[in-house]
Every structure is written in C-alpha cells, then in structure tokens.
Amino acid sequence: MGLGRRIGINVSVGTRTERYEVFYEDPAFLDPHYSLGLSLFKSERDFTDFDEGRTGGTITLGRRFLRFNRASLTYRLEEVTISNVSAVASSLIQQQVGTSATSSLTLGLNRDPRNSPLDPTRGYRGLATAEGAGGPLDFDNNFYKLELDGSLYHLLVEDWKVVGLLRGAIGFVESFSDTRTVPIQERYF
C-alpha cells in the first residue's frame, strides 16, 4: 500500500489441517510510534484422537519505545470446538468435548537490535508475553500464560553469507477460578 500497511489472506490446506486468515497491519497507526493489527481466522485440525475447530479474531495495538523496543496489547476472542473424540482418547481430551470460548488480553514486550529485520547477520531478538484469559474478561476459559522466546544471529561464513541461528522458547500456563484444567487448545505439546 506504499506506507508499510499490509492487508492479506492466508490459506493453508492439508490432509489434516485447514487454516484461513484475513489480516490488516498498519505499522504507523495515527503516529509513527504506534501500530495496529487486526485478524480474523478459522481453522480445522484432525488430531489422532479428536478434531479441533477454531474461529476468532484479534486486535493488537503496539507502541515503539526507545530505539529497539516495542510493547503491544492484544485482545483475542476465540471459539473452539472439540469433536469426534476417539473412545480410546485420554480422559483429559474426553472432558474437553464441546464448544468453549476464550476472551484474553496479552501484553508483549519485544527487543530487536538485529542489524536487519529481513536478512539479519548479527544481533538478537527477544520476546516476553503474559496472557490472561477469563476472569473479568468473562467467557468459558480462565487461565494465564507466560512465555519467553529468544533468537541469536551470528555470521558464520562471510563470503557465502552463512548465518547461524540459535533459538529457544519456554512457556508456562495455569488455570484458575472455575476452570479446573487448562483447555487442551492452550496446552504445550
């Protein structure tokens, strides 16, 4: 669009997974330091013991601060349906049968002093997020999730521009209130 704005459609179709997404991103919403992102999505996934359908959307507001830092706040509303559960599926999966809705807010902090965002040869990128679902945001699922993700880039062979990448991620999720267990779609596998 000439101003860094992006609008698009992502379609991913496979034998076990289908995902459709429409999105809009404006990196300079109202001011060069603010950003806006909107997305709507629908997906179907066939696992070995069950099927999962997701429909929802997100709204993200972000702000750059200092030179390499960015903070964002994302609201997510999502409906998930667990169906076609196998008779031999674990009791955890069998307890999740049906449709549930999640309303959540995620705070993200990103630091990115890489020498190039598109083709980095040195530097690092770090992201920390804290998500809270349910509680005062209502709906069916109550949980909180903390995640850290980091990447380190280093030029290994200058003549061929071979770059090494070391990446690590860790996360923690816990249910609260009347949600007895973390929903299957929010767990780490």
Side-chain angles (χ1 to χ4, degrees):
M1 298 174 105
L3 299 172
R5 295 182 185 131
R6 294 179 0 139
I7 187 167
I9 299 172
N10 288 326
V11 176
S12 176
V13 179
T15 57
R16 299 184 68 124
T17 303
E18 292 182 15
R19 180 166 173 83
Y20 309 94
E21 179 186 26
V22 177
F23 67 89
Y24 171 76
E25 296 173 355
D26 185 346
F29 178 68
L30 301 177
D31 178 291
H33 296 291
Y34 290 91
S35 62
L36 171 71
L38 306 167
S39 75
L40 296 172
F41 55 85
K42 180 173 180 56
S43 69
E44 299 287 332
R45 187 165 177 187
D46 299 335
F47 289 93
T48 304
D49 291 336
F50 66 96
D51 294 342
E52 175 191 83
R54 294 176 178 233
T55 304
T58 63
I59 299 172
T60 301
L61 292 173
R63 182 167 191 329
R64 265 193 358 243
F65 63 99
L66 301 176
R67 184 169 175 192
F68 300 112
N69 302 310
R70 176 175 155 71
S72 63
L73 185 64
T74 301
Y75 175 73
R76 172 174 62 117
L77 182 59
E78 180 178 50
E79 183 178 84
V80 176
T81 301
I82 305 295
S83 61
N84 298 327
V85 175
S86 165
V88 296
S90 72
S91 61
L92 172 68
I93 295 171
Q94 291 179 8
Q95 293 169 5
Q96 305 282 323
V97 172
T99 300
S100 66
T102 299
S103 174
S104 74
L105 279 174
T106 302
L107 175 63
L109 296 173
N110 185 357
R111 177 148 173 88
D112 188 359
R114 295 176 295 171
N115 64 332
S116 167
L118 300 177
D119 194 15
T121 58
R122 62 181 159 75
Y124 65 91
R125 181 171 188 243
L127 174 65
T129 60
E131 179 179 14
L137 299 172
D138 206 16
F139 289 90
D140 302 320
N141 298 317
N142 299 287
F143 63 88
Y144 62 93
K145 187 183 285 189
L146 305 171
E147 296 177 323
L148 294 173
D149 189 326
S151 302
L152 178 65
Y153 298 83
H154 184 71
L155 186 60
L156 299 175
V157 181
E158 190 169 344
D159 292 342
W160 294 340
K161 201 172 184 181
V162 175
V163 178
L165 168 64
L166 178 63
R167 181 172 182 215
I170 188 168
F172 174 82
V173 63
E174 183 70 48
S175 62
F176 67 90
S177 189
D178 60 343
T179 302
R180 292 183 307 143
T181 62
V182 174
I184 191 91
Q185 68 270 12
E186 299 298 338
R187 291 174 175 249
Y188 298 100
F189 291 100

